[in-house]
Amino acid sequence: MLRVKDVAREIATALNDVEQGNEFARWPQADILEYLQDALRLAAVSRPELFTAEKTVDLVPGSRQPLPDDCAKFVSAEVNPDGSEVSSESRLLARLYTKPACHTGAYAVQSVSFDAASDSRAFNVSPPVPAGVRAKLKIVCAGVVPELTAQMLGANAPMPVQDSLHPAIIHYALARAHMIDSESQTSWARSQYHLKAFFDVLSLGR
């Protein structure tokens, strides 16, 4: 199990900031935690599929459907409430033409669309949901990036992300740490190396 405190110490060790009795002297744990949090936010932008969750949402009257509060971005609608599968044309614009996505009286969703470039907090259904009709749809969305708290450093709290992100977030934290000494060409070069490695590692998993 990958623990938050272990990741923080791994970063401090790479920075040679773990002198016994004086650990985290130059880079406090609070700063490292901030670097890790920012790493997760950036990773979620580059690889939203690593932060996904399946949700059954209640549809509202009309075409535009807002996402639940615990979803940051719509990804797809892959399974209907009746269990039938659907397909999407692309990652940015999902259109499904399949069996009715939900059944409440005479109403049935026939297609779903989403354009990430214009509205990441909603998706559209067709035909529009009539007023007074209760309908549901099972979607896949990118969840809100998990929050890392100071309490996690003093406990056995696991990193609330996939282990596959471990190398990437280490690189990002080291990049941020070396940026502190901006007047040093060596530190600047190291920060750029780790920042590039962060995005390279994320890309390898695509």
Side-chain angles (χ1 to χ4, degrees):
M1 178 183 65
L2 193 63
R3 298 179 300 183
V4 176
K5 66 179 183 182
D6 294 335
V7 175
R9 188 168 185 86
E10 180 180 353
I11 294 166
T13 300
L15 295 169
N16 197 26
D17 195 21
V18 287
E19 180 182 353
Q20 188 173 0
N22 197 32
E23 296 89 347
F24 304 100
R26 185 173 185 190
W27 290 276
Q29 286 183 302
D31 289 353
I32 291 177
L33 199 66
E34 178 184 336
Y35 303 158
L36 291 174
Q37 186 72 73
D38 289 344
L40 296 184
R41 294 191 181 102
L42 276 178
V45 172
S46 298
R47 299 289 305 279
E49 72 277 10
L50 298 180
F51 298 84
T52 58
E54 188 176 278
K55 304 284 183 180
T56 298
V57 297
D58 293 315
L59 302 180
V60 299
S63 297
R64 187 177 183 276
Q65 304 296 321
L67 289 178
D69 292 339
D70 57 351
C71 287
K73 185 177 181 180
F74 180 88
V75 175
S76 66
E78 298 183 351
V79 182
N80 297 320
D82 63 5
S84 61
E85 295 184 357
V86 298
S87 60
S88 59
E89 287 185 354
S90 70
R91 187 177 175 189
L92 293 182
L93 180 60
R95 287 189 184 280
L96 25 138
Y97 301 92
T98 180
K99 298 178 181 179
C102 47
H103 304 273
T104 305
Y107 176 78
V109 172
Q110 296 177 353
S111 67
V112 175
S113 64
F114 168 67
D115 187 351
S118 63
D119 192 353
S120 64
R121 287 290 306 159
F123 61 98
N124 298 298
V125 298
S126 179
V129 181
V133 170
R134 297 179 61 184
K136 297 179 181 292
L137 181 67
K138 188 173 289 186
I139 68 171
V140 176
C141 64
V144 174
V145 177
E147 182 181 0
L148 303 180
T149 65
Q151 289 73 23
M152 291 179 171
L153 292 167
N156 291 322
M159 282 292 294
V161 295
Q162 297 183 25
D163 287 352
S164 60
L165 282 174
H166 178 213
I169 62 178
I170 293 294
H171 278 301
Y172 181 83
L174 291 175
R176 287 285 301 276
H178 286 299
M179 286 179 186
I180 291 179
D181 194 1
S182 59
E183 295 183 0
S184 167
Q185 291 186 352
T186 299
S187 293
W188 176 253
R190 287 174 178 170
S191 71
Q192 295 307 295
Y193 165 80
H194 286 294
L195 191 60
K196 182 179 183 301
F198 167 72
F199 288 108
D200 287 346
V201 170
L202 287 179
S203 298
L204 285 175
R206 289 188 183 279

